[in-house]
């Protein structure tokens, strides 16, 4: 009987430890009032499509007319495309195509980036929106004020900040300069000061292209960048880039034409229309 109190004390301690363990197991914080952080929702997309199979062959035939005149085996090689080098195909992929025709060379490239936020307080979509915004800024565009034809004040540098006049792409984030890249090979005309915001009159194409601008009917956010270029005595080179975001994926489409002769001028409006049409097809494919 002299040992009973000791046994009772040990039993009480055991019960107390058990209760503490149960409390921890149930996730109860010993500190009253500690807030619970709810993780931000993940993005819609967990993978990316195979980029070189993302564009239908019929679409490639339309975008690369010179390929139709090639022998069968060469045609197949052009339409297969060239995949971009990437170390994580779940995060970033790309593909490019090029075809030489009798009158001009057409080139096309697409890049898809799946954005993942490692901050539990920031969603994948919000992080992707930040990535997209940097590209938009590098293109010299503002979602609040789509650019329009320049007036006399713009020419004199007296326009207000919201006039839509293209900004120096050097003001943008370095990570965003790839959106201004006018060629699949990766050269960056925008960062070299070749001009980012195309304006009426900047292209001497037969069908004068519309200026670089925000697009309101593509994905969650989108813009088009028109980059006509005349390199000295060589033929004109005209590139159109369409960048859009859908959920946590940012897509860039680049479509360019290099005429065979100096006297030939690319049709900027046609390039814009076809680049936008392809971007819409890609957006639909991602949504399926």
């Amino acid at each position: 009987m002299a040992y009973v109190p000791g046994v009772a004390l040990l039993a009480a301690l055991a019960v107390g430890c058990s209760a503490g363990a149960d409390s921890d197991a149930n996730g109860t914080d010993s500190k009253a009032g500690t807030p619970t952080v709810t993780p931000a929702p993940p993005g819609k997309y967990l993978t990316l499509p195979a980029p070189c199979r993302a564009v239908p062959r019929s679409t490639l035939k339309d975008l690369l007319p010179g390929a139709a005149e090639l022998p069968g085996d060469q045609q197949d090689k052009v339409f297969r495309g060239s995949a971009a080098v990437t170390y994580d195909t779940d995060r970033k992929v790309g593909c490019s195509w090029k075809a030489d025709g009798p009158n001009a060379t057409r080139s096309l490239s697409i890049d898809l980036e799946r954005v993942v936020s490692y901050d539990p307080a920031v969603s994948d979509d919000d992080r992707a929106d930040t990535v997209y915004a940097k590209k938009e800024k590098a293109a010299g565009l503002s979602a609040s004020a789509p650019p329009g034809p320049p007036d006399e004040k713009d020419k004199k540098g007296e326009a207000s900040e919201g006039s839509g006049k293209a900004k120096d792409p050097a003001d943008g984030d370095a990570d965003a300069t790839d959106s201004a890249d006018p060629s699949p090979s990766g050269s960056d005309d925008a960062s070299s000061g070749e001009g980012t915001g195309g304006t009426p009159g900047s292209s001497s194409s037969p069908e004068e292209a519309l200026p670089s601008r925000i697009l309101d009917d593509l994905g969650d956010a989108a813009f088009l960048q028109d980059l006509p270029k005349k390199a000295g005595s060589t033929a004109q080179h005209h590139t159109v880039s369409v960048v859009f975001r859908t959920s946590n994926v940012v897509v860039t489409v680049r479509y360019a034409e290099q005429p065979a002769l100096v006297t030939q001028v690319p049709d900027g409006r046609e390039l814009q229309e076809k680049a936008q049409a392809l971007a819409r097809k890609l957006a639909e494919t991602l949504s399926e």
Side-chain angles (χ1 to χ4, degrees):
M1 295 297 294
Y3 295 99
V4 171
V7 172
L9 178 60
L10 291 174
L13 290 173
V15 170
C17 291
S18 176
D22 290 340
S23 176
D24 291 340
N26 293 330
T28 303
D29 197 331
S30 60
K31 297 181 180 179
T34 302
T36 302
V37 177
T38 302
K44 177 180 178 181
Y45 302 104
L46 302 178
T47 59
L48 291 171
C52 293
R53 295 200 296 269
V55 183
R57 192 183 183 98
S58 58
T59 301
L60 289 173
K61 286 183 177 180
D62 179 53
L63 295 173
L64 307 170
E69 303 177 17
L70 296 173
D73 56 340
Q74 294 183 33
Q75 233 184 87
D76 291 338
K77 183 178 180 179
V78 169
F79 291 141
R80 278 198 302 270
S82 177
V85 177
T86 180
Y87 299 99
D88 188 350
T89 55
D90 282 336
R91 292 292 303 278
K92 194 169 185 178
V93 296
C95 191
S96 60
W97 300 261
K98 183 178 180 180
D100 297 323
N103 299 320
T105 296
R106 294 279 182 103
S107 57
L108 168 71
S109 71
I110 61 172
D111 292 294
L112 300 92
E113 179 180 0
R114 185 176 68 90
V115 182
V116 177
S117 172
Y118 294 101
D119 184 346
V122 180
S123 69
D124 292 347
D125 282 21
D126 287 344
R127 174 59 183 150
D129 190 51
T130 299
V131 172
Y132 166 83
K134 289 180 180 180
K135 295 176 182 290
E136 185 181 281
K137 181 180 179 182
L141 299 173
S142 171
S144 60
D151 55 24
E152 292 303 318
K153 289 185 178 181
D154 289 327
K155 295 177 182 178
K156 296 178 182 179
E158 300 173 358
S160 62
E161 184 177 352
S163 64
K165 185 174 63 175
K167 301 177 182 178
D168 187 347
D171 294 336
D173 190 282
D175 294 338
T177 55
D178 59 344
S179 69
D181 183 355
S183 65
S185 62
S187 61
D188 193 345
D189 287 339
S191 63
S192 63
E194 293 287 348
T196 56
T199 57
S202 64
S203 169
S204 58
S205 57
E207 291 293 336
E208 194 171 83
L210 294 172
S212 301
R213 61 196 181 277
I214 301 297
L215 303 175
D216 57 5
D217 57 352
L218 176 60
D220 296 316
F223 70 85
L224 179 147
Q225 189 175 24
D226 188 83
L227 291 169
K229 176 184 176 184
K230 184 181 293 184
S233 60
T234 61
Q236 295 191 54
H237 182 279
H238 200 127
T239 300
V240 171
S241 294
V242 176
V243 180
F244 71 91
R245 178 183 73 84
T246 174
S247 186
N248 62 317
V249 171
V250 179
V251 180
T252 300
V253 174
R254 299 184 189 90
Y255 186 42
E257 179 179 339
Q258 175 73 55
L261 301 175
V262 178
T263 55
Q264 295 176 322
V265 181
D267 187 336
R269 188 175 292 270
E270 178 197 8
L271 294 174
Q272 287 194 15
E273 290 174 352
K274 290 188 175 183
Q276 289 183 80
L278 174 57
R280 291 190 178 92
K281 287 183 180 180
L282 293 174
E284 292 172 0
T285 300
L286 288 169
S287 299
E288 291 176 353

